[in-house]
Amino acid sequence: MKKIIAGNWKMHKTIPEAVQLAGAIAENTDVSARVVDIIICPAFIALNSVSEKIKETEISLGAQNMHYQENGAYTGECSGAMLKSAGCKYVILGHSERRHIFKEQDWEINTKVSAAFREGLKPVLCVGETESERDTGLTNNVIERQLKTALKDVDISNIESLLIAYEPVWAIGTGRTATPEQAHDAHEFIRQLLYAMYKDASQSVPILYGGSVKPDNAHDLLLQPNIDGALVGGASLKADSFIELVNIAATE
Ligand code: 13P
């Protein structure tokens, strides 16, 4: 499976800054992009401009969230069709910041995942435990609940368009990365859950790791079986570190 390096820019970068960063990444990853799938996920407002900037490149565009309805009176929201029209191929769903800060519920994430498939977008479904859940031995329970609820009634025919990101909440933006062993165990567990649900079709689902991924820890993480790439926050905001991550993935 081709490694994937995805940048989640969260609520950073104005439109000109986003276009500049996308341009810098594009200019310096043309060789690695042949062997690594590169995805960048700017804020909604910059999607269209970034899409224009990267349209002649191998880089793909993703959004950070979407609404599950096709349209309607949902002030402040974006539909899947809108994201597609802005050039998106992917959409991050169920990110822990959406779950914890914006109180997104498992059922809601499930409807968003279904809506993404309906609109022809590839969901990057995020799962992961908090520190207290890990400390009380609940890591696998949480992952299982989040994964099974989010994929409820998702037909096997959609599975080739699915990506999972394991992002332990305690490792996001904290500088504390899961050890390669901790990440490996969680990814193996996710792989087993997917297999139980979708049998051989599940083997094509990339499972990305996210949580303080940086150039100095990426190599050891990406070496692990079942770690198919990284979903990167902080280190995706600077061209140099993101390009370095892409280059590391290209050598794995
Ligand atoms: P950091 O890489 O900043 O820890 O963020 C990870 C993340 O949340 C990616 O979605």
Side-chain angles (χ1 to χ4, degrees), residues 8 10 95 97 167 171-174 210-214 231-235:
N8 174 6
K10 308 193 180 182
H95 191 278
E97 286 147 21
E167 299 207 312
I172 295 178
T174 58
S212 297
V213 175
K214 309 251 169 338
L231 180 56
V232 188

Side-chain angles (χ1 to χ4, degrees), residues 189-247:
F189 181 61
I190 292 168
R191 182 68 67 211
Q192 286 164 0
L193 289 171
L194 289 171
Y195 187 79
M197 293 162 83
Y198 297 107
K199 298 293 178 284
D200 284 347
S202 68
Q203 304 290 355
S204 68
V205 178
I207 308 175
L208 315 183
Y209 169 79
S212 297
V213 175
K214 309 251 169 338
D216 61 7
N217 59 29
H219 177 75
D220 288 345
L221 287 161
L222 291 171
L223 264 185
Q224 301 298 316
N226 288 322
I227 299 191
D228 304 309
L231 180 56
V232 188
S236 73
L237 296 174
K238 291 212 166 78
D240 287 356
S241 44
F242 190 70
I243 292 162
E244 208 176 330
L245 287 171
V246 171
N247 290 337

